[in-house]
Amino acid sequence: PRTAGGVEIGRVTLGQDWLEGRQAGEMDAQRAFADAPGVHGSGENAASLHVQGGASSENRVLLDGIPLFSAVHYSSASSAVNPDAIAGAELHTGVSSARFGDHLAGVLELESREPGPSPFEARGSLGSHDIRQTVSGYLPGIRTGVIVGVRTTYRDALMGDGYQGRRNGYRDLLAVSTTQAGEGRLRVLSFMANNRLDFPSVSDVGDAGAGSEDGPPPSEGEEYSGVPRNAISWSSH
């Protein structure tokens, strides 16, 4: 029957007005699903979703049908997709369609906003860890529009003594351009996310630094000197 075509157990949808309908606090498309049935979010500030007991890395995340890998920033501080550029989303927690391909847990579909109809629009937010800004422009005469959203941390992710002055943090970019192409529409999407952690590497004995018997930890405002450091970075685009 036609009425059975759209029936799917475990499908949760965010409408076009999901940003306006959210309560006060950090807004995030993935975090908005944390209280859905069959979903567990690790902590109040976590954007990584555990669907039906699966790991967050076992979810398949699609942005306008394109698979995204590492779609969250470190420690699940936020998802790597700028929420101001997302028009709607659907989370599939049950037995989803085979068209989504291989995945072990849930499927999250994100739909980017369409530029317009306003000639110019800007949205932004200052959060506890990062700042983000999204701008969009639309030329109705040629039916062409562009949305660009950027986000970056403004404070060090590791706030202890000895970590200052390092490039700990994350940033992301999401850009969407649409234009008239013959009888259809041409849509171009660009996504980038980058994370970096830099911290001292100190053994229990033998290294001069914190946790060592050979020397005291640095005083406030000073960095560990002469101590090997770990530098870890990863990106997705």
Side-chain angles (χ1 to χ4, degrees):
R2 293 180 179 270
T3 55
V7 175
E8 179 186 332
I9 298 176
R11 182 173 65 180
V12 186
T13 303
L14 292 182
Q16 297 283 337
D17 60 344
W18 75 276
L19 271 176
E20 288 74 12
R22 297 295 298 170
Q23 298 179 353
E26 298 287 344
M27 296 182 180
D28 191 280
Q30 296 196 51
R31 191 176 299 150
F33 288 109
D35 57 353
V39 179
H40 173 70
S42 301
E44 181 179 340
N45 214 27
S48 60
L49 303 177
H50 301 270
V51 178
Q52 304 292 358
S56 59
S57 60
E58 296 174 345
N59 297 325
R60 187 168 181 84
V61 180
L62 302 173
L63 178 59
D64 289 345
I66 302 173
L68 296 185
F69 301 95
S70 187
V72 294
H73 291 303
Y74 60 74
S75 299
S76 304
S78 66
S79 76
V81 183
N82 195 313
D84 294 325
I86 298 301
E90 278 193 348
L91 177 65
H92 306 266
T93 63
V95 180
S96 54
S97 171
R99 66 185 174 90
F100 295 126
D102 295 335
H103 59 280
L104 295 177
V107 177
L108 176 63
E109 291 186 282
L110 302 173
E111 178 187 357
S112 62
R113 288 174 51 210
E114 190 78 19
S118 302
F120 178 79
E121 186 179 4
R123 301 184 182 188
S125 174
L126 176 64
S128 58
H129 295 89
D130 55 44
I131 182 172
R132 71 176 190 265
Q133 180 67 55
T134 302
V135 295
S136 64
Y138 183 70
L139 299 176
I142 57 176
R143 298 181 62 186
T144 298
V146 176
I147 296 177
V148 178
V150 295
R151 172 170 42 189
T152 183
T153 47
Y154 62 87
R155 57 181 292 186
D156 199 322
L158 304 174
M159 300 300 293
D161 293 339
Y163 297 102
Q164 292 86 353
R166 300 292 173 175
R167 294 175 294 172
N168 293 311
Y170 56 82
R171 62 184 184 272
D172 57 65
L173 178 145
L174 176 60
V176 182
S177 175
T178 62
T179 186
Q180 185 73 21
E183 298 181 355
R185 298 281 287 170
L186 175 64
R187 188 178 189 90
V188 179
L189 184 143
S190 178
F191 168 81
M192 182 275 292
N194 180 264
N195 295 263
R196 180 181 174 88
L197 292 175
D198 190 322
F199 52 92
S201 173
V202 182
S203 62
D204 292 336
V205 293
D207 290 335
S212 168
E213 298 179 356
D214 297 335
S219 59
E220 183 176 358
E222 296 180 349
E223 293 191 7
Y224 295 102
S225 59
V227 176
R229 303 186 68 90
N230 289 314
I232 304 170
S233 64
W234 63 98
S235 62
S236 177
H237 56 86

